[in-house]
Amino acid sequence: MSNDTDREFANLLQLAIDGQIDPGQGQRLQELMRGNPERMNAWVDHFRLDSLLSNEIDRSSVVDLVDLVCPQNSTLDHVSPEVHQTKYRKHTESKAWWVVTAILAVSVLFMAFLFVTGRSLSPFASVATPTQPDTTIAILAQTSEDVWHGNVEPPLLLSPGRLQLESGLAEIRVYNGVTLYLEGPVDLDLNSLEHAHLRHGKLRARVAEQAEGFTVTTDAVRLVDRGTEFAISAGDDGRSQVHVFDGLVDLYPSGKASRDDTNRRPVSEGESVEVDPSFETRRTEFALDRFPSAQAMDQSVANRFERWKSWSTEFAKRPDLLVYYNFEEFGEKGNGRNTVIDLADANPINATVVGCEMLTGRWPQKKALGFYNPADRLRVRIPGRWPNLTMACWVRLDELRGVNQALLLTDSFDAWQPHWQIAKEGTLKLGIGQDTVEESRRMRSPSTPLNELAPLGRWMHLATVYNAERKTVDHYVNGNKAGSNGLPVAEPLHIGTAEIGNWLRPRQTGNEPIRNLDGRIDEFMLLRSALNAETIKEIYQAGR
Amino acid sequence: MTSNDRNTTDASTEVVALIAQHQSRLRGFVRCLLAHDKDVDDLLQEVNVVLWQKADQFEIGTDFWAWASQVARFKVMNQVRKYSRDRLVFDESFMTELADLATERSRGFEDQQSALRHCMKQLPGPQRALIEMRYSSERSIGSIADELGRPEGSIRQTLYRIRGLLLQCIELNMPETSR
């Protein structure tokens, strides 16, 4: 057991006791404690002693507690049940009071029930559950070819936590005005509005004036920004490199308190230094092109978009395409203001746009239609009967509302008409009309809940494959199988007039008069074949 | 009101008193599992509610701490499962280990409390003053640092050292049986 790790553990434990620890530091603590009973005991003991001390020294709260919970006490009369709604306050004493009053209020209610009804009812319906506060501190503004650790994509809005980008690029805008450019592999703890810890890899930061003081730490160094743009790396050897493009940063030994000014090492514009774990610094040559940047991000995104465009042109030639909209021609001269051109080669089926603001798609260059208002919808008429049908689209779903949200809904719901939508349970489902409601119910085909597969607010690829011969409905999310369902019976589907992103028929009953999507679509396709898993994966890969 | 109802009410009253007595112990328990302050108050309240709801299941005279810490552990685990991956501080398996340890080491709390009183008296004046400053009104390290004109880190370090001394002292002054 080395002295250094002991010291590190002690430091983190001190911070934890004061409630100032972040998840990244927590993980480190776990590493330090696992298999080390001495440290685990210390951890548990310090927390216990901390509450013992609060109890012992701030005695009034304990005395109050004991006195007041006694129901004979006359103060009972003054306690009103409304205190349930009171928000917690920071002060220990107030906390203790809150607990006392809550318990009292609950017991008053409880006894009132006992007296009045003579039976035991739960009085807890009136206990307010505080709403979850918004903990987000940054937005994942843009990514390109990003692959994340464990294939778990971070959400659009980021709360403090660890980001492990294995490859590709990501641009993060912290709410205070700091922009971070990451290029995988990079392992970063985004700790707060003011602080990020780089475990491994490299990043570039552009710090707006309003965010001066932003701090990036590595194992070797603590970098405090003084209004600038800089790059920093953390290597396996424990060394860090720092380069300042513009302005000034201050370096300190890692782990030193911010008030300690003796070891400050300023680095100014154009300067590059390498720092080892003992805070030895030396000037170094810097390979600037090895660091992610806004330009690299823009270039990568532009390349990605171009590559998708070529793929899309080729894809449009597929003979089994029924409908293919990528919205790129939408709004262009000569196409009609409200018309979306079907890119499928044979028998084009153009769509008519009602409402729908034009927004950006997967890349800033890409067009998308928004389906946020009750009016927003895309009208189509698709003739024919199809024993096999593949429905697929790229969608950015901003909210799951607990009601059905339309992808493609036929105007009527007659026998063998499909309703492709996000069900109120948050799953992808293909409803199939039958002669009776009973029969329709037997055709259920839900996927795994979407929010377990992909974060809301990020673009995702959804696909559903209907196969009448095999009597199956398969769902895919981001190229992966997300549900397989067998049907009792299956016949060819027919669509006729239908809508994308909404449902024409207003509902008279139920709590879902409107089925608009609450999101954007930037590519939509129907194929009259049952695509296999491999092909769906290819479509996803080409468009991600 | 039937005599049965009367008994239920008395038992509930007793449980309320027990809940109140165990607040600080439960708080220490929950905090050491979560490793951060966030959610602690809400969780503690949920634990209280469950303890109260199930008051009739608790047999007066049996080990209240064993029961309460079980409930608290369950609530913490449930809460943590709701966290997104990037908010997780400790892994579940590790939290289980910690919970076992914390349940065990919080036994004999009453004895610890009286041992603590004894040990506080033995602290040198300045150390005792600092501890009282920190805990008497739950003051932040920052405000103490400002008042004393010392860096936060050094205050934190000193408090940590004093807590270490107190822990040693409590250990030595515990009755043999509850060690």
Side-chain angles (χ1 to χ4, degrees):
Chain A
M1 192 197 304
S2 79
N3 276 337
D4 276 351
T5 48
D6 274 346
R7 206 170 307 128
E8 185 187 2
F9 171 72
N11 280 335
L12 289 171
L13 173 52
Q14 290 164 33
L15 287 172
I17 292 283
D18 290 318
Q20 297 191 16
I21 201 170
D22 59 56
Q25 291 169 315
Q27 281 288 321
R28 177 63 184 150
L29 269 165
Q30 178 174 311
E31 283 167 32
L32 291 169
M33 280 192 274
R34 252 210 169 122
N36 189 323
E38 208 178 314
R39 286 184 191 153
M40 280 179 77
N41 284 345
W43 174 263
V44 168
D45 288 350
H46 273 265
F47 274 100
R48 192 180 61 254
L49 179 62
D50 189 61
S51 59
L52 263 170
L53 282 166
S54 293
N55 215 348
E56 181 60 26
I57 297 172
D58 199 6
R59 185 87 69 85
S60 60
S61 62
V62 182
V63 173
D64 292 343
L65 269 165
V66 177
D67 282 349
L68 284 169
V69 287
C70 181
Q72 290 88 338
N73 195 303
S74 61
T75 49
L76 253 183
D77 303 332
H78 308 300
V79 180
S80 127
E82 273 81 38
V83 291
H84 289 303
Q85 312 294 339
T86 318
K87 195 81 188 149
Y88 295 106
R89 278 179 289 165
K90 266 241 145 85
H91 201 272
T92 305
E93 202 168 7
S94 341
K95 270 179 212 155
W97 265 98
W98 198 93
V99 170
V100 171
T101 42
I103 289 176
L104 268 176
V106 164
S107 58
V108 168
L109 274 175
F110 186 58
M111 281 177 239
F113 277 122
L114 286 179
F115 279 111
V116 172
T117 64
R119 65 199 166 94
S120 172
L121 280 182
S122 166
F124 298 98
S126 60
V127 176
T129 335
T131 49
Q132 281 288 326
D134 181 15
T135 57
T136 63
I137 55 167
I139 180 167
L140 192 54
Q142 183 71 55
T143 60
S144 185
E145 315 237 32
D146 50 319
V147 176
W148 301 86
H149 181 69
N151 274 324
V152 182
E153 265 190 63
L156 179 70
L157 301 180
L158 302 168
S159 295
R162 189 169 178 178
L163 292 165
Q164 289 171 279
L165 180 63
E166 291 190 340
S167 62
L169 297 168
E171 178 178 338
I172 292 162
R173 298 220 185 96
V174 187
Y175 291 172
N176 61 355
V178 173
T179 308
L180 300 176
Y181 298 97
L182 309 181
E183 183 172 7
V186 60
D187 189 352
L188 176 80
D189 295 317
L190 190 60
N191 288 332
S192 67
L193 290 169
E194 295 88 21
H195 176 218
H197 180 74
L198 183 62
R199 292 167 181 246
H200 177 81
K202 55 204 174 184
L203 66 79
R204 183 180 183 123
R206 202 165 59 211
V207 181
E209 251 174 60
Q210 313 87 310
E212 202 179 304
F214 185 75
T215 301
V216 179
T217 52
T218 67
D219 286 342
V221 70
R222 193 159 59 85
L223 179 156
V224 179
D225 170 84
R226 294 283 164 241
T228 187
E229 182 167 350
F230 63 87
I232 182 166
S233 70
D236 283 333
D237 54 2
R239 291 167 195 270
S240 285
Q241 291 197 325
V242 174
H243 179 86
V244 178
F245 298 96
D246 181 25
L248 178 76
V249 304
D250 287 335
L251 303 185
Y252 298 89
S254 66
K256 281 275 162 67
S258 56
R259 292 172 192 227
D260 186 353
D261 220 32
T262 47
N263 283 310
R264 187 169 74 96
R265 162 78 160 89
V267 183
S268 51
E269 193 168 326
E271 213 183 334
S272 302
V273 295
E274 186 177 77
V275 191
D276 71 16
S278 56
F279 203 61
E280 290 295 314
T281 59
R282 65 178 186 87
R283 297 187 78 114
T284 174
E285 282 297 310
F286 212 65
L288 287 183
D289 52 344
R290 284 191 10 236
F291 278 81
S293 65
Q295 294 81 346
M297 170 62 83
D298 291 348
Q299 192 54 54
S300 172
V301 166
N303 292 345
R304 204 65 211 84
F305 175 63
E306 287 304 322
R307 237 183 302 163
W308 167 80
K309 254 175 44 178
S310 326
W311 173 87
S312 177
T313 310
E314 280 307 302
F315 186 79
K317 296 175 184 160
R318 272 185 81 114
D320 55 350
L321 263 179
L322 272 177
V323 160
Y324 180 39
Y325 306 130
N326 70 17
F327 308 108
E328 287 305 291
E329 280 91 357
F330 183 64
E332 302 285 322
K333 248 192 182 161
N335 285 340
R337 293 170 57 170
N338 299 324
T339 305
V340 172
I341 304 291
D342 182 7
L343 303 169
D345 261 4
N347 309 317
I349 300 167
N350 294 343
T352 305
V353 177
V354 182
C356 292
E357 210 175 327
M358 203 191 332
L359 302 164
T360 48
R362 274 163 281 168
W363 310 281
Q365 300 87 337
K366 175 92 190 68
K367 289 176 185 171
L369 291 184
F371 297 88
Y372 294 99
N373 295 313
D376 297 343
R377 62 197 68 215
L378 206 53
R379 303 276 308 152
V380 290
R381 188 167 171 279
I382 302 163
R385 284 181 178 268
W386 315 104
N388 296 320
L389 194 65
T390 299
M391 291 145 270
C393 68
W394 275 100
V395 57
R396 199 187 103 171
L397 193 62
D398 288 4
E399 204 187 347
L400 285 172
R401 281 187 321 208
V403 298
N404 291 324
Q405 290 172 264
L407 293 168
L408 173 75
L409 297 191
T410 50
D411 282 359
S412 48
F413 194 46
D414 295 335
W416 304 107
Q417 284 197 305
H419 269 189
W420 189 40
Q421 58 191 335
I422 292 150
K424 48 179 174 284
E425 300 81 25
T427 58
L428 186 60
K429 85 171 177 190
L430 183 70
I432 297 169
Q434 297 288 288
D435 289 329
T436 67
V437 177
E438 271 308 286
E439 284 171 310
S440 292
R441 286 217 182 101
R442 289 165 52 216
M443 306 295 275
R444 283 203 170 148
S445 59
S447 73
T448 310
L450 292 179
N451 58 4
E452 288 175 18
L453 301 170
L456 290 183
R458 302 286 310 275
W459 283 94
M460 62 175 143
H461 187 254
L462 301 179
T464 296
V465 179
Y466 177 80
N467 187 324
E469 194 191 321
R470 291 172 47 203
K471 299 184 190 160
T472 54
V473 174
D474 294 329
H475 299 292
Y476 298 84
V477 175
N478 286 344
N480 295 318
K481 186 69 86 57
S484 273
N485 300 275
L487 301 174
V489 283
E491 283 182 28
L493 298 178
H494 69 102
I495 298 172
T497 51
E499 283 188 357
I500 293 167
N502 217 326
W503 197 26
L504 179 67
R505 186 176 287 192
R507 302 268 296 189
Q508 301 301 320
T509 55
N511 59 355
E512 42 160 352
I514 296 301
R515 287 201 194 178
N516 64 297
L517 182 67
D518 255 308
R520 311 168 178 202
I521 293 180
D522 78 354
E523 194 174 4
F524 187 97
M525 61 179 72
L526 288 177
L527 298 100
R528 54 183 167 78
S529 57
L531 296 190
N532 59 23
E534 208 173 302
T535 314
I536 287 179
K537 189 123 203 162
E538 280 168 23
I539 295 175
Y540 163 70
Q541 290 295 356
R544 68 179 296 267
Chain B
M1 200 159 74
T2 66
S3 62
N4 203 14
D5 285 333
R6 163 70 69 188
N7 289 340
T8 312
T9 311
D10 286 349
S12 302
T13 309
E14 187 132 11
V15 169
V16 170
L18 283 168
I19 294 172
Q21 281 165 25
H22 283 77
Q23 284 306 294
S24 65
R25 205 183 319 192
L26 282 169
R27 195 179 162 75
F29 181 83
V30 169
R31 281 186 63 208
C32 94
L33 294 186
L34 285 178
H36 54 72
D37 267 348
K38 228 179 111 19
D39 294 339
V40 168
D41 289 318
D42 292 357
L43 266 173
L44 211 51
Q45 182 57 11
E46 283 180 36
V47 172
N48 290 335
V49 166
V50 172
L51 293 175
W52 169 255
Q53 269 174 327
K54 299 193 169 166
D56 56 339
Q57 290 173 21
F58 177 68
E59 242 183 279
I60 301 292
T62 61
D63 189 349
F64 186 83
W65 170 242
W67 181 53
S69 63
Q70 258 327 98
V71 170
R73 171 198 297 225
F74 180 77
K75 279 284 167 196
V76 171
M77 292 301 186
N78 248 354
Q79 178 67 29
V80 163
R81 280 183 204 119
K82 282 187 244 165
Y83 286 171
S84 56
R85 204 178 52 95
D86 53 22
R87 266 189 69 194
L88 267 183
V89 175
F90 292 145
D91 299 344
E92 216 174 289
S93 62
F94 184 67
M95 288 177 68
T96 310
E97 275 182 67
L98 270 184
D100 287 340
L101 193 64
T103 305
E104 196 41 51
R105 292 180 87 83
S106 286
R107 282 183 201 289
F109 193 84
E110 288 75 11
D111 290 332
Q112 292 180 14
Q113 192 100 23
S114 59
L116 172 66
R117 248 166 255 161
H118 169 76
C119 295
M120 282 284 288
K121 284 187 198 138
Q122 307 204 328
L123 277 182
Q127 297 194 349
R128 190 173 166 171
L130 184 62
I131 283 276
E132 282 182 344
M133 203 167 172
R134 170 75 179 86
Y135 288 96
S136 64
S137 49
E138 193 77 12
R139 277 180 63 176
S140 75
I141 299 285
S143 88
I144 296 174
D146 281 337
E147 185 171 322
L148 300 181
R150 281 168 60 193
E152 283 184 26
S154 124
I155 299 281
R156 208 171 270 132
Q157 184 101 39
T158 310
L159 280 167
Y160 178 74
R161 239 190 347 256
I162 302 173
R163 274 197 300 265
L165 290 173
L166 285 172
L167 281 169
Q168 275 177 15
C169 174
I170 291 171
E171 180 81 8
L172 286 171
N173 285 281
M174 287 280 283
E176 219 46 59
T177 45
S178 49
R179 250 186 224 176

